Short mmCIF file of all heavy atoms in Angstrom, two decimals:
data_model
loop_
_atom_site.label_atom_id
_atom_site.label_comp_id
_atom_site.label_asym_id
_atom_site.label_seq_id
_atom_site.Cartn_x
_atom_site.Cartn_y
_atom_site.Cartn_z
N ALA A 341 3.70 -69.64 -15.41
CA ALA A 341 3.15 -68.39 -15.91
C ALA A 341 3.94 -67.80 -17.07
O ALA A 341 5.05 -67.29 -16.89
CB ALA A 341 3.08 -67.37 -14.77
N GLY A 342 3.35 -67.84 -18.24
CA GLY A 342 3.98 -67.24 -19.42
C GLY A 342 4.21 -65.75 -19.22
O GLY A 342 5.20 -65.18 -19.68
N ILE A 343 3.30 -65.13 -18.49
CA ILE A 343 3.36 -63.68 -18.29
C ILE A 343 4.61 -63.27 -17.51
O ILE A 343 5.07 -62.14 -17.61
CB ILE A 343 2.08 -63.20 -17.57
CG1 ILE A 343 1.95 -61.69 -17.60
CG2 ILE A 343 2.00 -63.67 -16.14
CD1 ILE A 343 1.16 -61.21 -18.76
N THR A 344 5.18 -64.20 -16.74
CA THR A 344 6.36 -63.85 -15.95
C THR A 344 7.65 -64.05 -16.72
O THR A 344 8.73 -63.70 -16.23
CB THR A 344 6.45 -64.69 -14.66
OG1 THR A 344 6.65 -66.07 -15.02
CG2 THR A 344 5.20 -64.57 -13.81
N LEU A 345 7.56 -64.64 -17.90
CA LEU A 345 8.78 -64.92 -18.65
C LEU A 345 9.28 -63.64 -19.33
O LEU A 345 8.49 -62.82 -19.78
CB LEU A 345 8.53 -65.99 -19.71
CG LEU A 345 7.98 -67.31 -19.17
CD1 LEU A 345 7.87 -68.33 -20.30
CD2 LEU A 345 8.89 -67.85 -18.06
N THR A 346 10.58 -63.51 -19.37
CA THR A 346 11.13 -62.31 -19.99
C THR A 346 11.87 -62.64 -21.27
O THR A 346 12.39 -63.75 -21.44
CB THR A 346 12.11 -61.60 -19.03
OG1 THR A 346 13.20 -62.49 -18.75
CG2 THR A 346 11.42 -61.21 -17.74
N LYS A 347 11.89 -61.66 -22.13
CA LYS A 347 12.62 -61.81 -23.38
C LYS A 347 14.10 -61.50 -23.14
O LYS A 347 14.98 -62.08 -23.75
CB LYS A 347 12.01 -60.86 -24.42
CG LYS A 347 12.41 -61.16 -25.82
CD LYS A 347 11.63 -60.32 -26.80
CE LYS A 347 12.15 -60.60 -28.21
NZ LYS A 347 11.57 -59.73 -29.21
N ILE A 348 14.29 -60.57 -22.20
CA ILE A 348 15.65 -60.24 -21.82
C ILE A 348 16.21 -61.38 -20.96
O ILE A 348 15.53 -61.87 -20.06
CB ILE A 348 15.66 -58.91 -21.03
CG1 ILE A 348 15.20 -57.78 -21.95
CG2 ILE A 348 17.03 -58.62 -20.46
CD1 ILE A 348 14.92 -56.47 -21.24
N GLU A 349 17.41 -61.80 -21.23
CA GLU A 349 18.06 -62.89 -20.48
C GLU A 349 17.13 -64.09 -20.32
O GLU A 349 16.72 -64.45 -19.21
CB GLU A 349 18.53 -62.38 -19.10
CG GLU A 349 19.53 -61.23 -19.21
CD GLU A 349 19.96 -60.70 -17.84
OE1 GLU A 349 19.65 -61.33 -16.82
OE2 GLU A 349 20.63 -59.65 -17.82
N PRO A 350 16.82 -64.73 -21.41
CA PRO A 350 15.79 -65.77 -21.39
C PRO A 350 16.12 -66.99 -20.52
O PRO A 350 15.20 -67.65 -20.05
CB PRO A 350 15.64 -66.18 -22.85
CG PRO A 350 16.87 -65.69 -23.52
CD PRO A 350 17.32 -64.48 -22.78
N LEU A 351 17.40 -67.26 -20.30
CA LEU A 351 17.71 -68.44 -19.49
C LEU A 351 17.23 -68.28 -18.05
O LEU A 351 17.02 -69.28 -17.36
CB LEU A 351 19.21 -68.75 -19.55
CG LEU A 351 19.72 -69.17 -20.93
CD1 LEU A 351 21.21 -69.49 -20.90
CD2 LEU A 351 18.95 -70.35 -21.50
N ASN A 352 17.04 -67.04 -17.60
CA ASN A 352 16.48 -66.83 -16.26
C ASN A 352 15.10 -67.48 -16.14
O ASN A 352 14.65 -67.79 -15.04
CB ASN A 352 16.31 -65.32 -15.97
CG ASN A 352 17.63 -64.59 -15.98
OD1 ASN A 352 18.68 -65.22 -15.96
ND2 ASN A 352 17.58 -63.27 -16.03
N ASN A 353 14.44 -67.63 -17.27
CA ASN A 353 13.09 -68.20 -17.24
C ASN A 353 13.08 -69.64 -16.74
O ASN A 353 12.08 -70.11 -16.22
CB ASN A 353 12.46 -68.13 -18.63
CG ASN A 353 12.23 -66.69 -19.07
OD1 ASN A 353 12.00 -65.81 -18.23
ND2 ASN A 353 12.30 -66.43 -20.36
N ILE A 354 14.21 -70.33 -16.91
CA ILE A 354 14.28 -71.71 -16.42
C ILE A 354 14.10 -71.71 -14.89
O ILE A 354 13.38 -72.54 -14.35
CB ILE A 354 15.63 -72.36 -16.81
CG1 ILE A 354 15.74 -72.41 -18.34
CG2 ILE A 354 15.73 -73.76 -16.23
CD1 ILE A 354 17.09 -72.90 -18.84
N ALA A 355 14.75 -70.74 -14.23
CA ALA A 355 14.63 -70.64 -12.78
C ALA A 355 13.20 -70.29 -12.38
O ALA A 355 12.62 -70.89 -11.48
CB ALA A 355 15.60 -69.59 -12.24
N ARG A 356 12.63 -69.30 -13.08
CA ARG A 356 11.25 -68.90 -12.74
C ARG A 356 10.30 -70.09 -12.86
O ARG A 356 9.49 -70.37 -11.98
CB ARG A 356 10.78 -67.79 -13.67
CG ARG A 356 11.51 -66.47 -13.49
CD ARG A 356 10.82 -65.35 -14.28
NE ARG A 356 11.51 -64.09 -14.04
CZ ARG A 356 12.46 -63.59 -14.85
NH1 ARG A 356 12.81 -64.24 -15.96
NH2 ARG A 356 13.05 -62.46 -14.55
N SER A 357 10.40 -70.78 -13.98
CA SER A 357 9.45 -71.87 -14.24
C SER A 357 9.63 -73.00 -13.25
O SER A 357 8.66 -73.64 -12.84
CB SER A 357 9.63 -72.39 -15.67
OG SER A 357 9.42 -71.35 -16.58
N ALA A 358 10.87 -73.28 -12.87
CA ALA A 358 11.11 -74.38 -11.94
C ALA A 358 10.47 -74.07 -10.58
O ALA A 358 9.85 -74.95 -9.96
CB ALA A 358 12.61 -74.61 -11.78
N ILE A 359 10.60 -72.82 -10.15
CA ILE A 359 10.01 -72.44 -8.85
C ILE A 359 8.49 -72.52 -8.92
O ILE A 359 7.83 -73.02 -8.01
CB ILE A 359 10.48 -71.01 -8.47
CG1 ILE A 359 11.98 -71.04 -8.19
CG2 ILE A 359 9.71 -70.50 -7.26
CD1 ILE A 359 12.63 -69.67 -8.12
N GLN A 360 7.93 -72.07 -10.03
CA GLN A 360 6.47 -72.14 -10.19
C GLN A 360 6.01 -73.60 -10.26
O GLN A 360 4.95 -73.96 -9.73
CB GLN A 360 6.05 -71.38 -11.45
CG GLN A 360 6.30 -69.88 -11.35
CD GLN A 360 6.33 -69.18 -12.71
OE1 GLN A 360 6.05 -69.80 -13.75
NE2 GLN A 360 6.64 -67.89 -12.72
N GLY A 361 6.81 -74.43 -10.91
CA GLY A 361 6.48 -75.85 -11.00
C GLY A 361 6.49 -76.50 -9.62
O GLY A 361 5.63 -77.32 -9.29
N LEU A 362 7.47 -76.12 -8.81
CA LEU A 362 7.53 -76.64 -7.44
C LEU A 362 6.26 -76.23 -6.67
O LEU A 362 5.67 -77.05 -5.95
CB LEU A 362 8.79 -76.10 -6.74
CG LEU A 362 8.94 -76.46 -5.25
CD1 LEU A 362 9.02 -77.96 -5.06
CD2 LEU A 362 10.18 -75.78 -4.66
N ALA A 363 5.84 -75.01 -6.86
CA ALA A 363 4.62 -74.55 -6.18
C ALA A 363 3.42 -75.40 -6.61
O ALA A 363 2.55 -75.72 -5.80
CB ALA A 363 4.37 -73.07 -6.48
N ALA A 364 3.38 -75.77 -7.88
CA ALA A 364 2.26 -76.58 -8.38
C ALA A 364 2.21 -77.92 -7.65
O ALA A 364 1.14 -78.41 -7.28
CB ALA A 364 2.40 -76.80 -9.88
N ILE A 365 3.39 -78.51 -7.43
CA ILE A 365 3.44 -79.81 -6.75
C ILE A 365 3.04 -79.64 -5.29
O ILE A 365 2.24 -80.41 -4.76
CB ILE A 365 4.86 -80.41 -6.86
CG1 ILE A 365 5.19 -80.64 -8.34
CG2 ILE A 365 4.95 -81.70 -6.07
CD1 ILE A 365 6.65 -80.96 -8.58
N LEU A 366 3.55 -78.60 -4.66
CA LEU A 366 3.20 -78.36 -3.26
C LEU A 366 1.72 -77.98 -3.13
O LEU A 366 1.14 -78.11 -2.06
CB LEU A 366 4.10 -77.26 -2.67
CG LEU A 366 5.60 -77.64 -2.64
CD1 LEU A 366 6.43 -76.47 -2.14
CD2 LEU A 366 5.84 -78.88 -1.78
N GLY A 367 1.14 -77.52 -4.23
CA GLY A 367 -0.28 -77.19 -4.23
C GLY A 367 -1.16 -78.38 -4.61
O GLY A 367 -2.38 -78.26 -4.58
N GLY A 368 -0.55 -79.47 -5.02
CA GLY A 368 -1.33 -80.68 -5.29
C GLY A 368 -1.96 -80.76 -6.67
O GLY A 368 -3.07 -81.26 -6.83
N ALA A 369 -1.23 -80.27 -7.70
CA ALA A 369 -1.77 -80.28 -9.07
C ALA A 369 -1.86 -81.70 -9.62
O ALA A 369 -1.08 -82.57 -9.25
CB ALA A 369 -0.88 -79.44 -9.98
N GLN A 370 -2.83 -81.91 -10.54
CA GLN A 370 -2.96 -83.22 -11.17
C GLN A 370 -2.09 -83.36 -12.41
O GLN A 370 -1.72 -84.45 -12.79
CB GLN A 370 -4.43 -83.48 -11.56
CG GLN A 370 -5.26 -84.07 -10.45
CD GLN A 370 -5.26 -83.18 -9.21
OE1 GLN A 370 -5.72 -82.05 -9.26
NE2 GLN A 370 -4.73 -83.68 -8.12
N SER A 371 -1.85 -82.25 -13.06
CA SER A 371 -0.93 -82.32 -14.19
C SER A 371 -0.24 -80.99 -14.34
O SER A 371 -0.70 -79.97 -13.81
CB SER A 371 -1.67 -82.71 -15.48
OG SER A 371 -2.63 -81.75 -15.82
N LEU A 372 0.88 -81.02 -15.01
CA LEU A 372 1.74 -79.83 -15.03
C LEU A 372 2.39 -79.65 -16.39
O LEU A 372 2.84 -80.61 -17.01
CB LEU A 372 2.82 -80.01 -13.95
CG LEU A 372 3.90 -78.93 -13.81
CD1 LEU A 372 3.29 -77.57 -13.47
CD2 LEU A 372 4.92 -79.33 -12.75
N HIS A 373 2.38 -78.42 -16.82
CA HIS A 373 3.20 -78.02 -17.97
C HIS A 373 4.17 -76.96 -17.48
O HIS A 373 3.75 -75.99 -16.85
CB HIS A 373 2.34 -77.43 -19.09
CG HIS A 373 3.15 -76.68 -20.12
ND1 HIS A 373 3.66 -77.30 -21.23
CD2 HIS A 373 3.57 -75.40 -20.18
CE1 HIS A 373 4.36 -76.41 -21.94
NE2 HIS A 373 4.31 -75.25 -21.32
N ILE A 374 5.43 -77.16 -17.77
CA ILE A 374 6.40 -76.13 -17.42
C ILE A 374 6.79 -75.39 -18.69
O ILE A 374 7.17 -75.99 -19.69
CB ILE A 374 7.61 -76.76 -16.70
CG1 ILE A 374 7.17 -77.12 -15.27
CG2 ILE A 374 8.81 -75.83 -16.71
CD1 ILE A 374 8.26 -77.52 -14.34
N ASP A 375 6.64 -74.08 -18.64
CA ASP A 375 6.92 -73.26 -19.82
C ASP A 375 8.38 -73.38 -20.23
O ASP A 375 9.26 -73.57 -19.40
CB ASP A 375 6.63 -71.79 -19.52
CG ASP A 375 5.15 -71.48 -19.57
OD1 ASP A 375 4.42 -72.21 -20.25
OD2 ASP A 375 4.74 -70.51 -18.92
N SER A 376 8.61 -73.19 -21.49
CA SER A 376 9.98 -73.20 -21.99
C SER A 376 10.57 -71.80 -21.92
O SER A 376 9.85 -70.82 -22.01
CB SER A 376 9.99 -73.71 -23.42
OG SER A 376 9.53 -75.05 -23.43
N TYR A 377 11.88 -71.76 -21.78
CA TYR A 377 12.52 -70.46 -21.54
C TYR A 377 12.42 -69.52 -22.73
O TYR A 377 12.61 -68.33 -22.59
CB TYR A 377 13.98 -70.65 -21.11
CG TYR A 377 14.84 -71.38 -22.12
CD1 TYR A 377 15.38 -70.72 -23.21
CD2 TYR A 377 15.14 -72.74 -21.96
CE1 TYR A 377 16.17 -71.38 -24.13
CE2 TYR A 377 15.93 -73.41 -22.87
CZ TYR A 377 16.44 -72.74 -23.96
OH TYR A 377 17.20 -73.40 -24.87
N ASP A 378 12.13 -70.07 -23.90
CA ASP A 378 12.14 -69.21 -25.10
C ASP A 378 10.73 -68.78 -25.53
O ASP A 378 10.53 -68.36 -26.65
CB ASP A 378 12.85 -69.93 -26.26
CG ASP A 378 12.23 -71.29 -26.57
OD1 ASP A 378 11.31 -71.72 -25.85
OD2 ASP A 378 12.68 -71.91 -27.55
N GLU A 379 9.75 -68.87 -24.62
CA GLU A 379 8.38 -68.58 -25.05
C GLU A 379 8.12 -67.11 -25.34
O GLU A 379 7.14 -66.78 -25.99
CB GLU A 379 7.37 -69.11 -24.02
CG GLU A 379 7.40 -70.61 -24.02
CD GLU A 379 6.13 -71.26 -23.50
OE1 GLU A 379 5.13 -70.54 -23.33
OE2 GLU A 379 6.17 -72.47 -23.27
N ALA A 380 8.99 -66.23 -24.84
CA ALA A 380 8.81 -64.82 -25.19
C ALA A 380 9.30 -64.55 -26.61
O ALA A 380 9.20 -63.44 -27.11
CB ALA A 380 9.53 -63.93 -24.19
N TYR A 381 9.83 -65.59 -27.25
CA TYR A 381 10.31 -65.44 -28.62
C TYR A 381 9.39 -66.07 -29.64
O TYR A 381 9.04 -65.50 -30.65
CB TYR A 381 11.70 -66.07 -28.77
CG TYR A 381 12.77 -65.28 -28.09
CD1 TYR A 381 13.02 -65.46 -26.74
CD2 TYR A 381 13.51 -64.34 -28.79
CE1 TYR A 381 13.98 -64.71 -26.10
CE2 TYR A 381 14.48 -63.59 -28.15
CZ TYR A 381 14.71 -63.77 -26.80
OH TYR A 381 15.65 -63.04 -26.17
N SER A 382 8.98 -67.30 -29.34
CA SER A 382 8.33 -68.09 -30.37
C SER A 382 7.88 -69.38 -29.70
O SER A 382 7.97 -69.52 -28.48
CB SER A 382 9.39 -68.39 -31.45
OG SER A 382 8.82 -69.16 -32.49
N ALA A 383 7.38 -70.32 -30.49
CA ALA A 383 7.11 -71.65 -29.92
C ALA A 383 8.45 -72.25 -29.53
O ALA A 383 9.49 -71.89 -30.08
CB ALA A 383 6.41 -72.51 -30.95
N PRO A 384 8.46 -73.15 -28.55
CA PRO A 384 9.74 -73.68 -28.06
C PRO A 384 10.50 -74.48 -29.12
O PRO A 384 9.91 -75.18 -29.92
CB PRO A 384 9.32 -74.62 -26.92
CG PRO A 384 7.88 -74.38 -26.67
CD PRO A 384 7.31 -73.70 -27.85
N THR A 385 11.79 -74.32 -29.07
CA THR A 385 12.63 -75.21 -29.88
C THR A 385 12.63 -76.57 -29.20
O THR A 385 12.22 -76.71 -28.04
CB THR A 385 14.09 -74.72 -29.93
OG1 THR A 385 14.56 -74.64 -28.58
CG2 THR A 385 14.19 -73.37 -30.59
N GLU A 386 13.12 -77.57 -29.90
CA GLU A 386 13.17 -78.92 -29.34
C GLU A 386 14.03 -78.90 -28.06
O GLU A 386 13.68 -79.50 -27.05
CB GLU A 386 13.75 -79.89 -30.36
CG GLU A 386 13.35 -81.32 -30.11
CD GLU A 386 13.49 -82.16 -31.37
OE1 GLU A 386 12.55 -82.21 -32.20
OE2 GLU A 386 14.57 -82.76 -31.52
N GLN A 387 15.13 -78.16 -28.10
CA GLN A 387 16.02 -78.10 -26.94
C GLN A 387 15.32 -77.47 -25.74
O GLN A 387 15.39 -77.99 -24.62
CB GLN A 387 17.26 -77.28 -27.31
CG GLN A 387 18.30 -77.29 -26.22
CD GLN A 387 19.25 -76.10 -26.29
OE1 GLN A 387 19.11 -75.22 -27.14
NE2 GLN A 387 20.20 -76.07 -25.39
N ALA A 388 14.60 -76.38 -25.98
CA ALA A 388 13.92 -75.71 -24.86
C ALA A 388 12.80 -76.59 -24.32
O ALA A 388 12.57 -76.65 -23.10
CB ALA A 388 13.36 -74.37 -25.33
N ALA A 389 12.09 -77.27 -25.21
CA ALA A 389 11.01 -78.16 -24.77
C ALA A 389 11.58 -79.27 -23.89
O ALA A 389 10.97 -79.70 -22.91
CB ALA A 389 10.29 -78.75 -25.98
N LEU A 390 12.79 -79.74 -24.24
CA LEU A 390 13.42 -80.80 -23.46
C LEU A 390 13.80 -80.30 -22.07
O LEU A 390 13.63 -81.01 -21.08
CB LEU A 390 14.64 -81.34 -24.21
CG LEU A 390 15.23 -82.65 -23.67
CD1 LEU A 390 14.18 -83.77 -23.72
CD2 LEU A 390 16.47 -83.05 -24.44
N VAL A 391 14.30 -79.07 -21.97
CA VAL A 391 14.65 -78.52 -20.65
C VAL A 391 13.41 -78.47 -19.76
O VAL A 391 13.46 -78.82 -18.58
CB VAL A 391 15.27 -77.11 -20.78
CG1 VAL A 391 15.43 -76.46 -19.40
CG2 VAL A 391 16.62 -77.18 -21.48
#
Side-chain angles (χ1 to χ4, degrees):
Chain A
I343 192 92
T344 65
L345 303 184
T346 62
K347 196 172 176 187
I348 295 170
E349 300 178 10
L351 294 181
N352 298 347
N353 294 330
I354 298 174
R356 293 190 178 96
S357 301
I359 293 166
Q360 294 161 5
L362 175 61
I365 298 168
L366 297 176
Q370 274 58 62
S371 63
L372 177 60
H373 165 90
I374 285 190
D375 282 335
S376 297
Y377 60 81
D378 56 355
E379 292 203 11
Y381 288 85
S382 180
T385 58
E386 203 159 274
Q387 186 203 3
L390 193 60
V391 171

